[in-house]
Amino acid sequence: MDGLTSSQLRALNQLRDLTNGGDDDVAIGVLSSVEWDVQRAADMIFGTGAGSAPSVPSRHVEQFEVDDSQQGVDDDWPQRATFPSNPRPSALVSVLTYPLHILSSIFRFIFSVLRIPIPHIPFLSLHFYRPLGNSRTSRGPDSWIRDLEEETGAVCIGRQSQSQGVASGVAGPSTLTARGGGEDDGRKYLPDFSLGTYENTLRRCQKEAKIGCIVLVSEEHDDDAEFKRTTLTDPDFVNFLTNNDFIVWGGDVRDLEAYSASEKLQASTYPFVAFVAIQPTRHSQSSSPPPTLTVLSRHQGLRDTTAPKLLNHLQDNLMPRVQPYLERVRNSQRALERDRTLRQQQDQAFADTARRDKERILAKMAEEKRVEEERKAEESRVQEETARQQREVEERKKRESERMVWRRWARSALVKPENPSDRLRIAVRLPEGQRLMRRFGTTDTLTTLYAFVDKEFIPAQFPAQADPQDPPEAGDIESKIAEMGGQRGWWGFTLHSAYPRVEVPWEPRKRLGDVACLKDGGGQLIVELASGKRKLSVGKGKDKEDDGYDTEESDDE
């Protein structure tokens, strides 16, 4: 077999599975004769002439480090370093023992229905017959646990928490771990079997640094029922596994998952119990070797798997040898978890500080930006306001210059020399006390009267001899006056009668003969400036002519 290639070894293993064992030399000879075709080799062995036996893919067997050197020092059986795989009888022997297999199955069925322990009868232990092909099922651990509970009348000690709504791949922790015995309440309990796969159970043992208990049974063995009723339901054994937080997994080798576990653990006799846990790698050159999953001990057959023997082995041998290392690993894991949590807290604190600093910087930048925008907006507003005021000043100067030209033209064009025959004699008292007196005709308009008063406010730098003879532009002066603000915007003053005090407002094209306070021969008017900026062009306090009217202001003087 040493000269076989990997593909030839795989074909040999497949043929061995199909024939349930047999002589390897015979199998190699058959395979070599058919060019290592497993299907044709099976046809030759079973004589079917057709491929009735399905090919079985080879399985990858996980390698464990075995550390069972302390196992069996108190046992009667000699210590074994390795365990051979289950011998497989030939196909001819399987056919010859088929009737015995049927009889064994009938007896086993009757005794199991009657709940009678199956006696140990030698011929009932013969299991040479195995059906062709792969008859194993792919049931999950939960199905095997339900069958186990029905067969033993017990319940898993952790099933109560699961019935309260715990839905996970692993049975929840038991709430009955502090019980003094397994039957105080009248019920029997099983260990808290894991509902996950075998591989998941091993990963849990590695990750959580706990001891795993692997239970493998075979319903075809005579000791199966007694092992389940005595060992698996023993109160002391169940409480010990529960109180020490063992991870328990089990199955029947008729199922694919349990069969794969039996191959990896090299189980040869059932019932089979193995304890696994992480241990330091032996023969390692490193000062701190990494832990590896190790088979701590293996117990096969009913004689070595009774509850007292397993308890003695756990209490006196396995726990003192394994627990200190596991505790150190768990402490190291807790320290790593604390360090990780501390680093996360520090990272979170650093992130929070960085976030607050960033928010503060962004807020400061936003405030500076807002202040800068407000400053620019204020500067823009001031510039616009200054420009507007400058435009208003320029426009006002332009209008004032234009109005001055019109006023000078009106002084010469509208204020004609006085006609002695005019019957309206009007006296005007200026704001600075000066008095003007002139005769107007009844057909003269208020524009003429206002132009007569306004000429007193034309600055002396504009002499009457230099007044323009033509209007600055075509059009009516009264329309221009209305366009440029009327009485206050153009004239800048108002006229009032002395007594009773009545305003004489400017109106376009209104004749003086139609003014109530002037139509009866004239009257005395008082000038009131709209603003204090306009000044007279004559000396203050000098009357150009006595008007002959007595007023309250005259009496005061």
Side-chain angles (χ1 to χ4, degrees):
M1 294 180 59
D2 296 338
L4 300 180
T5 63
S6 60
S7 60
Q8 292 173 347
L9 287 175
R10 185 164 55 252
L12 178 61
N13 292 330
Q14 292 178 1
L15 185 61
R16 185 187 295 126
D17 289 338
L18 290 174
T19 59
N20 293 321
D23 192 349
D24 289 343
D25 295 334
V26 176
I28 292 174
V30 174
L31 286 171
S32 61
S33 65
V34 293
E35 298 180 353
W36 296 92
D37 189 335
V38 179
Q39 187 67 42
R40 293 170 59 189
D43 293 342
M44 290 181 62
I45 292 175
F46 297 112
T48 58
S52 60
S55 62
V56 179
S58 62
R59 300 178 182 272
H60 170 70
V61 179
E62 182 176 351
Q63 299 298 324
F64 290 92
E65 182 172 336
V66 180
D67 183 18
D68 53 0
S69 58
Q70 302 297 325
Q71 180 184 354
V73 294
D74 297 329
D75 297 342
D76 295 334
W77 287 11
Q79 178 179 336
R80 290 176 293 178
T82 59
F83 292 87
S85 60
N86 191 15
R88 305 287 184 174
S90 64
L92 179 61
V93 176
S94 298
V95 172
L96 293 178
T97 59
Y98 178 67
L100 297 179
H101 176 76
I102 296 178
L103 183 61
S104 172
S105 300
I106 293 174
F107 270 96
R108 224 174 11 253
F109 174 75
I110 294 174
F111 277 83
S112 63
V113 169
L114 297 178
R115 298 289 181 177
I116 299 175
I118 300 176
H120 183 72
I121 303 175
F123 77 89
L124 289 179
S125 302
L126 298 176
H127 301 290
F128 297 107
Y129 171 76
R130 295 183 184 272
L132 297 179
N134 191 357
S135 62
R136 292 182 173 83
T137 61
S138 58
R139 298 188 310 165
D142 54 340
S143 300
W144 178 76
I145 294 174
R146 284 196 299 268
D147 295 342
L148 180 63
E149 290 178 341
E150 293 175 1
E151 183 176 351
T152 59
V155 63
C156 287
I157 199 169
R159 299 283 267 190
Q160 290 186 352
S161 60
Q162 187 182 24
S163 64
Q164 296 174 358
V166 178
S168 62
V170 178
S174 173
T175 59
L176 306 175
T177 55
R179 294 168 50 244
E183 298 182 353
D184 290 349
D185 56 355
R187 299 186 63 180
K188 294 188 296 183
Y189 290 92
L190 294 168
D192 189 9
F193 283 99
S194 171
L195 297 180
T197 63
Y198 173 70
E199 299 295 337
N200 289 339
T201 302
L202 296 182
R203 281 192 288 269
R204 282 190 61 199
C205 294
Q206 287 181 307
K207 181 179 180 180
E208 300 177 15
K210 296 180 181 179
I211 303 175
C213 178
I214 310 300
V215 179
L216 298 176
V217 297
S218 175
E219 193 174 347
E220 297 177 354
H221 282 255
D222 300 333
D223 300 332
D224 179 71
E226 184 177 354
F227 172 76
K228 293 177 181 177
R229 289 195 302 267
T230 58
T231 301
L232 294 185
T233 61
D234 183 78
D236 296 332
F237 180 65
V238 172
N239 283 332
F240 185 86
L241 295 180
T242 304
N243 293 334
N244 289 278
D245 207 10
F246 277 61
I247 300 177
V248 186
W249 186 89
D252 194 307
V253 293
R254 295 179 302 167
D255 300 331
L256 290 177
E257 187 74 23
Y259 175 71
S260 174
S262 69
E263 287 188 334
K264 296 175 181 179
L265 294 171
Q266 299 180 1
S268 59
T269 305
Y270 302 98
F272 175 86
V273 178
F275 297 98
V276 298
I278 57 173
Q279 289 291 285
T281 304
R282 294 186 296 179
H283 312 297
S284 175
Q285 301 298 328
S286 175
S287 58
S288 57
T292 58
L293 192 62
T294 305
V295 178
L296 304 175
S297 63
R298 288 177 290 194
H299 310 266
Q300 306 186 78
L302 183 62
R303 180 180 177 182
D304 285 349
T305 56
T306 60
K309 278 199 172 185
L310 292 177
L311 279 174
N312 290 335
H313 171 71
L314 292 174
Q315 294 172 348
D316 300 337
N317 187 353
L318 190 142
M319 293 297 291
R321 177 166 56 96
V322 176
Q323 193 64 22
Y325 177 76
L326 295 180
E327 188 63 29
R328 289 197 302 271
V329 172
R330 285 192 289 266
N331 291 336
S332 177
Q333 291 178 347
R334 285 191 288 267
L336 291 176
E337 182 65 21
R338 287 194 299 269
D339 293 342
R340 186 184 64 83
T341 303
L342 180 60
R343 285 195 301 269
Q344 288 182 347
Q345 294 175 352
Q346 291 174 346
D347 294 342
Q348 184 63 36
F350 177 77
D352 293 340
T353 302
R355 177 181 53 81
R356 289 192 295 268
D357 292 342
K358 182 178 179 181
E359 292 176 353
R360 185 167 57 252
I361 293 174
L362 291 178
K364 183 177 180 181
M365 293 174 61
E367 180 66 17
E368 293 177 351
K369 182 178 179 181
R370 184 187 63 81
V371 172
E372 181 66 17
E373 290 178 351
E374 290 181 353
R375 185 186 63 79
K376 291 181 179 180
E378 180 66 19
E379 290 179 354
S380 177
R381 187 189 64 79
V382 171
Q383 292 177 357
E384 292 177 357
E385 180 67 18
T386 304
R388 184 187 62 81
Q389 293 176 357
Q390 291 178 353
R391 288 194 301 270
E392 291 180 353
V393 170
E394 292 176 357
E395 291 177 358
R396 187 165 57 252
K397 289 180 177 180
K398 181 179 179 181
R399 288 196 304 270
E400 189 65 25
S401 176
E402 183 180 356
R403 193 173 70 87
M404 180 59 66
V405 176
W406 278 100
R407 289 169 62 194
R408 294 175 60 195
W409 173 82
R411 181 172 60 177
S412 60
L414 299 181
V415 183
K416 300 296 183 179
E418 182 180 5
N419 188 356
S421 62
D422 293 335
R423 69 183 192 85
L424 295 180
R425 189 166 179 268
I426 300 175
V428 178
R429 185 179 180 85
L430 299 176
E432 297 183 359
Q434 300 166 333
R435 289 184 177 88
L436 304 176
M437 201 282 293
R438 177 185 171 86
R439 290 182 177 275
F440 293 89
T442 56
T443 58
D444 291 336
T445 62
L446 285 173
T447 302
T448 304
L449 176 60
Y450 270 81
F452 169 72
V453 177
D454 183 61
K455 69 182 182 62
E456 301 297 329
F457 297 99
I458 296 176
Q461 61 184 0
F462 300 107
Q465 295 80 7
D467 292 342
Q469 301 300 316
D470 297 322
E473 59 184 45
D476 188 4
I477 187 175
E478 292 183 340
S479 300
K480 192 66 175 179
I481 293 173
E483 179 184 344
M484 298 184 69
Q487 182 167 337
R488 290 187 176 272
W490 179 276
W491 301 113
F493 61 87
T494 58
L495 297 178
H496 300 265
S497 61
Y499 185 84
R501 185 179 177 83
V502 178
E503 182 180 359
V504 182
W506 173 84
E507 296 180 20
R509 299 179 182 84
K510 186 173 183 178
R511 297 183 301 177
L512 297 177
D514 297 332
V515 179
C517 62
L518 299 177
K519 64 181 181 179
D520 296 334
Q524 185 173 357
L525 301 177
I526 299 174
V527 178
E528 289 188 0
L529 298 177
S531 62
K533 296 181 180 180
R534 187 166 293 181
K535 298 181 179 180
L536 296 176
S537 60
V538 296
K540 181 178 180 181
K542 291 185 179 181
D543 296 338
K544 297 185 71 176
E545 184 177 352
D546 188 4
D547 54 10
Y549 288 96
D550 294 330
T551 63
E552 296 176 355
E553 297 171 351
S554 301
D555 296 339
D556 294 338
E557 293 178 356

